[in-house]
Amino acid sequence: SWWQQLMGQAMVGKLAGAELEMLPSLIISVEEFFERYPKGKILSKENGDQESQAYYGTNYYAKYDSIGNSPWGKYFDVELLDDRLPAMERIVDIESEKGHKIYPFSVIEKKGVINDSFGPKNIVLFFKTGTVSILDEKEIDKSKDIGSVTVYDSKLNGRVLYFEKREDGFFDTETSSQWDHTGRCGAGQLKGEQLEIATHSQHFAFAWLAFHPGSVIYGE
């Protein structure tokens, strides 16, 4: 069967109509991953194929995500693109019984933290610099810093927490405990607690809005 990657749905074939379950996860830098999970594992480059190893860390779509210089115009009819957001704006999607709500990276970066609710969900979004784009320079390690966004259920032990970003991390306003980008509390009354990762996805605005034009846009 043929599956649509953005939606996780089988579109054609014996399994047409089936939908995969989305798993909660974080998109963070390799450096931050190993700081938080020192015993974590990473996919090895030693795959037995000498030729393919040379291409690790290489981007075949140089400048793809540059809003002012992007090749998407070669593949799509620009007139059909949703103009509510720049086509290459990265967004975070949250789904609830009310539908979909998206949060532009540029807004999250500016605020540092967003406390919000959508339907029955109470969520918090954290922004941190230090993650490079894989769709900017040909050599990925030379690409621009686009930062990363992590999303959590802001309800902990039956109480909704509200957060703010300071120079030395994220802090909840209820106990002034200090949290990191991966949702772990490292200091204060709630030390040792871990926020639950909220199921979410990250996409380019043009792709997401093509499939979900009815999405609520945060701040709109």
Side-chain angles (χ1 to χ4, degrees):
S1 299
W2 180 75
W3 296 76
Q4 209 298 319
Q5 63 192 47
L6 186 144
M7 302 175 70
Q9 293 180 354
M11 309 300 288
V12 178
K14 189 177 295 186
L15 294 179
E19 184 173 354
L20 298 174
E21 178 185 358
M22 187 178 296
L23 300 179
S25 62
L26 302 178
I27 298 178
I28 56 179
S29 69
V30 172
E31 180 180 26
E32 185 174 22
F33 173 79
F34 283 113
E35 287 177 352
R36 176 64 177 85
Y37 308 103
K39 295 183 179 180
K41 296 182 178 181
I42 188 168
L43 184 66
S44 174
K45 297 180 182 180
E46 302 301 322
N47 60 6
D49 184 346
Q50 295 294 325
E51 183 177 356
S52 69
Q53 290 178 26
Y55 298 108
Y56 279 98
T58 301
N59 164 33
Y60 284 93
Y61 301 94
K63 299 298 182 182
Y64 181 86
D65 63 355
S66 178
I67 291 177
N69 180 30
S70 179
W72 50 259
K74 299 178 182 178
Y75 308 120
F76 307 101
D77 185 341
V78 177
E79 297 299 321
L80 297 179
L81 296 177
D82 195 306
D83 62 2
R84 287 177 293 169
L85 290 172
M88 306 309 289
E89 171 81 66
R90 285 176 166 81
I91 60 94
V92 174
D93 164 65
I94 297 293
E95 182 179 9
S96 80
E97 60 190 28
K98 295 182 67 175
H100 293 276
K101 188 170 186 177
I102 60 176
Y103 302 78
F105 257 55
S106 58
V107 176
I108 308 169
E109 179 180 10
K110 185 176 181 179
K111 290 180 173 290
V113 169
I114 291 180
N115 298 282
D116 200 18
S117 61
F118 184 49
K121 295 186 176 183
N122 293 285
I123 59 170
V124 60
L125 297 88
F126 292 161
F127 181 89
K128 182 181 178 181
T129 58
T131 300
V132 301
S133 168
I134 62 168
L135 292 171
D136 181 30
E137 298 294 341
K138 184 175 181 179
E139 295 180 48
I140 294 174
D141 61 359
K142 296 180 180 178
S143 292
K144 61 189 176 186
D145 184 345
I146 59 169
S148 63
V149 176
T150 53
V151 188
Y152 304 98
D153 184 340
S154 56
K155 182 178 287 187
L156 181 70
N157 300 326
R159 175 174 61 170
V160 176
L161 300 177
Y162 294 88
F163 297 85
E164 61 184 16
K165 188 174 183 179
R166 304 175 190 170
E167 288 186 3
D168 50 348
F170 305 95
F171 293 79
D172 67 79
T173 59
E174 285 69 32
T175 71
S176 291
S177 297
Q178 184 180 33
W179 303 76
D180 66 20
H181 192 232
T182 65
R184 180 178 60 176
C185 184
Q189 182 180 328
L190 298 177
K191 183 178 180 179
E193 294 282 4
Q194 172 69 50
L195 297 175
E196 181 180 351
I197 302 171
T199 302
H200 63 285
S201 59
Q202 299 186 22
H203 304 278
F204 287 119
F206 83 90
W208 180 261
L209 291 173
F211 287 93
H212 299 285
S215 297
V216 175
I217 301 177
Y218 175 82
E220 188 176 56

